[in-house]
Amino acid sequence: MLSHLPILQVVVPLLAAPACLLLDRSRLVWIFTVLACGLSLLISMLLLYQVSQHGTLSYDLGGWDAPWGIEYRIDLLSAYVMLVVSGIATLVIVAAGTGLEREIPLEKQTVFYVTYLLCLAGLLGIVATGDIFNVFVFLEISSLATYALIAYGRDRRALWAAYQYLIVGTIGATFILIGIGFLYSLTGTLNMQDLAARIPDSAGSRTASTAFVFIVVGVCLKLALFPLHLWLPNAYAYAPSLVTAFLAATATKVAVYLLIRLHFSVFGEQFASSSLPLHGILLTLGLAGVFVASLVAIFQPDIKRLFAYSSIAQIGYMIIGIGFGTAIGLQATLLHLFNHALMKGALFLALAAVVYRLGSADISAFRGLGRRMPWTMAAIVIGGLSLIGMPLTVGFVSKWYLILAAIEAGMWPVALLVVTGSILAVVYVWRLVEAAYFQPPENELPEGLDGPDRREAPLTLLVPTWLLVLVNIYLGIDTRLTVGTSGAVASALLGGGQ
Amino acid sequence: MLLLLAITALAIAWLRDLFAAVMLAGIYGLLSASFFVSVDAVDVAFTEAAVGAGIFPLLMLAALALVGRNEQTAYRRPLISLLLVSITGAALVLGTLDMPAFGSADAPPHNHVAVRYIEESPKEIGIPNMVTSVLADYRSFDTLGEVVVVFTAAMGVLGLLFTGRAASPGSATERANMYDHRVLRVVSKMLIPLILLFALYVQFHGEYGPGGGFQAGVIFAAGIILYAMLFGFGNAQRVVRPALLQILAACGVLIYGSVGVVCLLSGGNFLDYSQLLPDPLVGRHVGILVIELGVGITVASAMILIFYAFASATVNSEEVA
Amino acid sequence: MLPELYNYWVVILLMMTGFYIVIVQGNLIKKLIGLNLFQTSVFIFYISLGKVSGGSAPIFAEGVSSYSNPLPHVLILTAIVVGIATTALALALVIRIRNAYGTVEEEELQQRDLEC
């Protein structure tokens, strides 16, 4: 059975979803979903172990050899991303046991869990596959599920946000489809390995360059790279809090993964940098993203929206890392990819706890919260520190490598700008800290809530949050695992790309 | 043919009346289906005709009935948009310059992976329709993904619209608009069984000619939807209950998936049908037959579910009004 | 070169017409019609890729030696299904938006959001 792990990773949540619908008893469905997510987490751990021991795994679906059938290909990078995705998915779904009841009516919960599992399966499928058209199919599974999940938000603006995301996402997917078509017309294959072997034959071909541009733009729409980010803040702000926690920590990360995979494993660094001034474009857009989004974040009254803008800024950092075009830059990107998933997972889960108790994530709701919900607020503070890049948190590690990469590339201004960006993060995190610890609580109660509700969040929400917070701190101190893996992956991607 | 398509597309862009635009979009689907026939893609033509000229306008009209057919606002930032579109289009044209010529037999796509599909599949898989061979065997995992996409959409629509209540019989909406057309009713009473029968034929004939689970599912759904439109949704929902449809939609995906799991348990890779039976070729036949059945069940029940959900939204909004 | 690639250029024109409708129109339903146009045109592009002059439909028959390429057909079968699934979900969203806001025009939606 161990040799089938690559496919089981995706098929377990994929088939658990329709099975869930058959159960149709919301408590039972929840337990079942937790089991499915936990199983998929277990599988991803085993896969990571296998890959680190025996190298890249290849699995032929239907028993057909690679270019004819669809191949699943798990290397260190995909195993790591799958671990992050299924880990976050499991924690969020555990928290959903109690956290969901105030956000989604009971009769819709079964369908919600089904959609959630489908979204997870789609994301995992994108990461596991070695076939470029299969990427498109699973991208659409996860996207459709995401639109539906966002629309569960109670505010009517959630619907509008989901619609906008749907339009942008579909345009992105269609761009990717066009790119795949151009590639196919040149090479006659859809397998990534096969493509990588055949693209150099048509180096300098305008068709290949066009394919590259369309695929990159399509993926960038999905990962909300500035200035293609407009769909993200509303989607994150109005989706149910737990959905935001899941999406913020996984969906954009998978999109970044896809960018890295297509850029380095399919086209190869040489092709990508020779056909376009890509590095300059990525650096500029990344930096612009960091500054614009951080500045906007400072003025957001809604904290979910604030952290959504902060996500766009953090994606900017990841893109800067790719923009250097060096191994250490890519390593910084990978580190930040993992670390940001941990930070934002913790932050949005903590926010979900606040929304659970107070029914709002407005800055005014946070007044005096330091005393009323000490554990939740402490989690938010540590997550915020990590976002800023304080030493002893994971955020420091990735920022440090990003600055190292800038210095190594001789780009002092970029290093300085990265530091300045962190100062902006200090400002928006401080606003929150000030409200929570230095302002008296509001006297009048928010409507619809009575006294007993204004206390610490239930344990089922706190435990997953704090698990993530502890991982944040642990990996900030003991950096061997993340730095070692990302270093190995980065050099493999740059060296083995040809 | 392409010229006709272009005219239709421009007309859609030009028109203000949404109803007409939907109709033209249906015509566009039909035209592209006939284009597909002219370039030998019969399976695709079949599907595009059923979707582009069938399900798509149907869903659109159901939605238009709720939101009104008139478009009001002016264009937003037309110049910038035009510029953006022109740049995109120019990039695409530039990209085609190094592409192999249209129809040339020595282009790379026809000389790499596809060669095996064309030359070996009649022997390896044992069925004449190569599209079905690739769809249901070589790349059957994509098809599983496709079924899951349909299932996901049905779940999404259900989460958004379904209230769980069926339309109460005898209410105003019960007598659907077309109920009074006696001719229509009599004709379709004869037609509906034929449509359902044809769906079954398409379902099981996919190995030899164009067709297969997806097309069959769409046709079957069309039959039920026609019934619902003529005899009222309350009646249709009593014949085909929404709860049953949910179970069926889930079962279709599960049937497909469990074929894969059975292959896995009998020692092959996921979806390796040759492991199903001692004779690999027979095993492949059985595998393809069963997964096509799964596709058909999920697609048919998902489409009907989506349509019911739209219809129940109609009923509810009328109650509000 | 021109007659050989002419087909593709018309298809690109079709795609861009659809794309233009998506970004320029304020009506949510019309946007979806444009999106459908955009996607269908991409399908036409793919199927054109699979055409082999003198080939016949890829269903095995005695005495036929040249077939058109079946792979693009398979991909597009999948893509058509994905497209209609997206449309269905989008329409459900539009219906809900209409019920919640009372309009499906983008400008009015934005105004109503600003008001509250």
Side-chain angles (χ1 to χ4, degrees), chain A residues 140-377:
Chain A
E140 285 294 341
I141 295 179
S142 70
S143 305
L144 285 184
T146 309
Y147 311 142
L149 288 177
I150 291 171
Y152 276 103
R154 280 175 311 176
D155 196 310
R156 67 178 182 177
R157 279 170 290 186
L159 298 168
W160 177 224
Y163 179 87
Q164 283 174 313
Y165 185 21
L166 184 143
I167 294 289
V168 173
T170 309
I171 291 176
T174 311
F175 269 41
I176 295 174
L177 195 62
I178 294 174
I180 295 173
F182 273 75
L183 274 188
Y184 180 71
S185 82
L186 270 188
T187 59
T189 185
L190 297 166
N191 181 277
M192 289 187 192
Q193 289 267 300
D194 207 18
L195 277 170
R198 284 167 163 261
I199 285 175
D201 292 347
S202 43
S205 145
R206 284 167 288 189
T207 307
S209 309
T210 310
F212 183 65
V213 171
F214 272 76
I215 288 179
V216 167
V217 172
V219 176
C220 285
L221 275 169
K222 281 275 173 197
L223 64 77
L225 172 63
F226 178 85
L228 307 173
H229 66 278
L230 293 169
W231 59 267
L232 188 140
N234 282 335
Y236 280 15
Y238 301 122
S241 307
L242 287 165
V243 170
T244 310
F246 177 58
L247 292 181
T250 57
T252 42
K253 305 303 164 292
V254 169
V256 173
Y257 162 87
L258 195 57
L259 183 67
I260 294 174
R261 174 63 75 212
L262 295 170
H263 181 153
F264 292 98
S265 303
V266 174
F267 285 93
E269 174 66 10
Q270 215 167 17
F271 175 90
S273 52
S274 65
S275 68
L276 284 168
L278 189 73
H279 289 156
I281 296 175
L282 288 181
L283 273 178
T284 322
L285 290 183
L287 280 172
V290 168
F291 278 91
V292 174
S294 302
L295 281 173
V296 176
I298 292 176
F299 297 102
Q300 290 304 315
D302 182 293
I303 302 303
K304 264 166 97 181
R305 227 178 142 83
L306 184 156
F307 282 123
Y309 274 105
S310 140
S311 275
I312 299 169
Q314 306 301 318
I315 289 162
Y317 286 121
M318 293 175 214
I319 298 300
I320 294 174
I322 300 178
F324 288 127
T326 58
I328 191 160
L330 186 55
Q331 189 179 1
T333 300
L334 295 169
L335 277 171
H336 205 52
L337 193 153
F338 306 135
N339 296 345
H340 182 237
L342 296 176
M343 301 174 216
K344 275 288 154 61
L347 275 171
F348 277 115
L349 269 180
L351 282 184
V354 174
V355 173
Y356 179 79
R357 279 293 181 228
L358 300 176
S360 156
D362 198 80
I363 185 93
S364 60
F366 281 80
R367 286 199 200 123
L369 210 60
R371 245 176 265 146
R372 255 188 280 130
M373 301 174 76
W375 288 96
T376 311
M377 267 322 291

